[in-house]
Amino acid sequence: MTTAETSTAVYQAPGPIGPGAFVVTILITHMNPESNPAAGRPARLAVGIVGAGRAGTALGVALARAGHQIVAASAVSDASLRRAHVNFPAAAITEPSQVIRRADLALLTVPDDALPGLVAGLAATGAPLEGRMLAHASGRYGVSVLEPAVRQGALPLALHPVMTFTGRADDVDRLRGTSFGVTAPEVLRPAAEALVIEMGGEPVFIAEEHRDLYHAAIAGAANHLITLVAQAMDLLRKAGVAEPARLLAPLLSASLDNALRFGDAGLTGPVARGDAATVAAHVAALEAAAGPSASTSAAAAAGAPAVAAYVAMARLTADRALAAGILRPADAERLLDVLGGRP
């Protein structure tokens, strides 16, 4: 059996050197894969979850499956409280500072806008932060949002799963193969990487200064896709299609595959072809759908906003098709004549 190899890294929290300054030493153990079934895993951790919502529960269950112990959780809503009791029956359900007190690793899985206030509150109320890992799952923020806690000795990690969660039991299974946007101080990167891999994910390191751009890209792709598809289904119902999801599924699956494999080269359709008359007919039909004849709430919702969305995306598609050499300049001009006067 091969002996474990232990490497030591030192992380010093920012702040003045002098009385009260501290240095945290992190031990990272690498085991021979054949010597131990838990090979390559960091030490077993006591894990606390501040905000046992959909994401926090999925991450906690994944860490528990990897052998860590969920010792405490906090929750506000009735749904989150039920979720915590069901998934972590041995954990203490308590308030956030007590979750921190009991944990080696605390997951701060609250909404993005609540995270800065939570961290500031933990730091201001004397929660025992020194030497504890604090990992948030926000896409927007890196580790700078944890600065108030870091000044008191916390070890900061940003571990954002690039996945949507529904609150169902299979959420944890979605983590397998999912990328995590990771930001961490250099010395903590091995710990961040190990935790992500243990949860079944793949770490992708994002620089602190690029977190907003990173989050804008993935939120725009995932969230706006849902809006576009839901809007298309509303329009199809108005056009008399009884099962719009069934109609759209093969087309959208192929389009997503083309986009991911080929990028702009996967563009097809009337804008990419420069069919200005077809695009004009689309806009006219959408404007008509927004008119006074709309008799249902879904039809009304699919009206004027649908025109603006179609025109905006057609312009962007034309620009990208032109830059990629798919759309000829003369055809692009005709398209812009159709789209130019639109809002």
Side-chain angles (χ1 to χ4, degrees), residues 79-203:
S80 293
L81 284 168
R82 286 194 300 271
R83 197 177 289 122
H85 282 298
V86 169
N87 288 282
F88 313 116
I93 307 301
T94 185
E95 50 92 18
S97 66
Q98 291 303 312
V99 174
I100 302 296
R101 185 177 299 278
R102 294 166 183 259
D104 303 314
L105 165 66
L107 301 179
L108 308 183
T109 46
V110 298
D112 288 2
D113 287 352
L115 183 59
L118 170 64
V119 177
L122 290 171
T125 56
L129 297 165
E130 183 171 350
R132 289 171 169 83
M133 287 188 285
L134 293 190
H136 73 72
S138 165
R140 174 186 175 187
Y141 293 108
V143 293
S144 62
V145 71
L146 300 173
E147 182 65 23
V150 171
R151 288 196 293 268
Q152 296 187 25
L155 308 176
L157 303 172
L159 310 177
H160 174 242
V162 187
M163 179 50 64
T164 182
F165 300 106
T166 63
R168 298 196 303 263
D170 62 353
D171 277 349
V172 65
D173 299 319
R174 294 184 173 196
L175 292 174
R176 185 156 302 281
T178 291
S179 294
F180 280 62
V182 175
T183 304
E186 188 66 29
V187 72
L188 293 179
R189 283 175 64 132
E193 183 175 28
L195 287 168
V196 169
I197 291 171
E198 283 200 314
M199 289 186 282
E202 299 181 6

